[in-house]
Amino acid sequence: MTGPTTTDPASDAALAELLLQWAPHQRWFAHKGASVHLQRLERTPLDEGGVAQLVALTVRTGAGEEATSTVYAVPLTVRPAPDDDLAGALVGHLPDVDGAEAWVYDGPHDPTFTRALLTLVAAEEGAGSAAFGVHGTSADGGLPVPTGASTKVLGGEQSNTSIVVTPPPGSDAAPLIAKVFRVLSAGDNPDVVVQTALAAAGCERVPRPAGWVDGQWTAPDGRVAHGHLAHLTEFLAGSQDAWRVATAAVEQGRDFSAEAGELGAATAEVHAVLARELATEPATPERLAAFADGLAARVAWACTAVPELHEVAEAATARVDAVRHVSGAPDLQRVHGDYHLGQVLRSEQRGWVLLDFEGEPLRPLAERSVPDLALRDVAGMLRSFDYAASSGAGRVGEEAAGRWAAACREAFLAAYAAGTGVDPREPGSAAATLLAALELDKALYEVVYEVRNRPDWVGIPMGAVRRLTS
């Protein structure tokens, strides 16, 4: 076990006060603008010197029956003197942390923290205690963890923090990416479980794993919770984000149907492997009825949030209610869960590679691990094509952008059908009914999101809602 396993209560209190001022301004903090109160802070050093530390910060928002508690993972480095190279990552200065003056830094930006994390994985060591502690595991047959690596935090993420790990010159090791999960939830994270299963089955459509860090912490109810804290996988240097590739094609007036077809085939391959390697469940009438209830609740929620949707409420309800009468639906299985162009990379060597099997980050972890309809992923990608097309409509015109999206849709679905035998293009089929309901569900969510966050974009999903309810 690495490092000391006890921390000073007075230091914990000082750190908690500092973090409550700092955390609400970070991208990964989910309760911006809310009144936040400390419920608990747990802390453990990850290295011998105690520089690299991990904090589990439990905060409470709201009051009474509406109060909720969330546990955040907060990696830190605690140094006895300021480090000019880390000035942009300074959390704050405290006069006394564990008996000494301390400058506290955002851990992922400090190579010392990442190297401590990598050491846990490579050596399969642990740190901390039975109440709050971590343990590293190397993936069987996975990539090696390099020593002496340089690190860099990726920008743009919101719910997690990813760190690129670059091996030193002359090393044979592959570059890696370490994803630190910021919201801690009890249970196995699907990003680890699903990607590991796919890679173990020989699927080249996901990054190869190197390992992960799991551990235990105190849940809001006081019980000990177990789950994943970080995931270490291959970093595909030189690859291109599929969203950027697709939107560039729209703006250039370039057909993207060949690439969309390849993406449909890759999606079918991943779904087929998941159905073979992980548990499936039959789509019984009872499951479909419960599924339809959830879709109907989404319609009601969206119409309440956006009164303009009342004009399509009746048609939308009928569309999702049709799910109750479906027969011959595909089995439920593990899926991506939050599938769109931003979750895919284009690699010259391997083609399309799928990332981030964590599912929708705002959904409870237990829900994200339950078998679902694979067509949910299909619906997500079709909506993403629509968004990509609309992003370039100002340059090529709405008619041309519409044709671009329609061509992508047809190519993707044709390839997906060829790979799975499930063809949502067949009128009246179970797959067609399910996909229409899932697309509508996604578009309704998008309408509410855009009204609240990007009002100028609301026309994109609103157009889809009208099309899907006509």
Side-chain angles (χ1 to χ4, degrees), residues 44-137:
T44 185
L46 301 185
D47 56 11
E48 291 293 347
V51 174
Q53 303 191 12
L54 183 66
V55 167
L57 182 70
T58 305
V59 298
R60 185 175 63 256
T61 57
E65 295 182 356
E66 296 183 358
T68 60
S69 295
T70 304
V71 185
Y72 289 99
V74 187
L76 301 173
T77 53
V78 180
R79 296 183 172 276
D83 188 325
D84 292 342
D85 293 336
L86 296 172
L90 181 66
V91 176
H93 167 258
L94 292 173
D96 184 2
V97 175
D98 299 331
E101 189 175 13
W103 279 259
V104 181
Y105 294 96
D106 187 10
H109 292 274
D110 188 339
T112 299
F113 172 83
T114 304
R115 288 168 186 161
L117 199 72
L118 298 178
T119 298
L120 293 177
V121 173
E124 299 196 324
E125 291 183 343
S129 66
F132 177 54
V134 300
H135 187 273
T137 301

Side-chain angles (χ1 to χ4, degrees), residues 17 48 58 102 134 150 153 186 193 216 227 255 265 276 297 302 308 313 315 317 322 324 333 375 403 420:
E17 184 176 351
E48 291 293 347
T58 305
V134 300
S150 61
V153 174
V193 174
Q216 62 279 342
D255 180 67
R276 186 173 68 245
E308 187 180 352
T317 302
R324 302 179 192 278
Q333 63 167 87
L375 287 169
R403 289 196 301 269
T420 62

Side-chain angles (χ1 to χ4, degrees), residues 335-346:
V335 300
H336 184 285
D338 188 25
Y339 197 42
H340 53 80
L341 289 165
Q343 306 282 38
V344 183
L345 294 178
R346 181 72 172 182

Side-chain angles (χ1 to χ4, degrees), residues 213-445:
V213 176
D214 57 14
Q216 62 279 342
W217 60 91
T218 304
D221 63 5
R223 293 182 291 184
V224 175
H226 300 266
H228 288 109
L229 293 93
H231 190 203
L232 198 60
T233 64
E234 172 186 22
F235 177 67
L236 297 169
S239 58
Q240 294 180 288
D241 176 272
W243 171 260
R244 295 183 181 179
V245 176
T247 53
V250 178
E251 293 175 359
Q252 296 163 8
R254 179 170 57 82
D255 180 67
F256 194 71
S257 57
E259 292 94 332
E262 292 168 3
L263 183 54
T267 306
E269 179 185 342
V270 167
H271 282 168
V273 175
L274 289 176
R276 186 173 68 245
E277 298 296 323
L278 297 175
T280 63
E281 297 178 6
T284 63
E286 293 76 17
R287 291 295 297 270
L288 289 176
F291 180 63
D293 289 341
L295 295 174
R298 174 91 90 175
V299 173
W301 165 78
C303 291
T304 299
V306 182
E308 187 180 352
L309 288 171
H310 281 297
E311 66 184 55
V312 299
E314 184 177 351
T317 302
R319 179 72 71 182
V320 301
D321 197 58
V323 169
R324 302 179 192 278
H325 311 294
V326 166
S327 60
D331 285 349
L332 306 175
Q333 63 167 87
R334 297 300 287 269
V335 300
H336 184 285
D338 188 25
Y339 197 42
H340 53 80
L341 289 165
Q343 306 282 38
V344 183
L345 294 178
R346 181 72 172 182
S347 166
E348 288 188 10
Q349 294 76 31
R350 289 160 59 182
W352 294 120
V353 178
L354 282 59
L355 310 172
D356 298 334
F357 286 76
E358 199 176 350
E360 291 183 358
L362 295 183
R363 292 178 64 195
L365 184 66
E367 290 184 12
R368 291 184 262 148
S369 299
V370 173
D372 200 349
L373 289 165
L375 287 169
R376 186 181 296 279
D377 287 346
V378 175
M381 189 55 66
L382 296 182
R383 294 297 311 126
S384 197
F385 287 142
D386 190 24
Y387 264 80
S390 296
S391 74
R395 181 165 298 185
V396 300
E398 291 188 8
E399 186 175 343
R403 289 196 301 269
W404 185 93
C408 288
R409 178 188 183 92
E410 173 61 26
F412 181 91
L413 290 176
Y416 184 82
T420 62
V422 177
D423 192 349
R425 299 171 302 166
E426 296 180 5
S429 66
T433 300
L434 293 170
L435 180 59
L438 288 164
E439 277 194 87
L440 177 59
D441 178 67
K442 184 73 171 177
L444 288 169
Y445 169 81

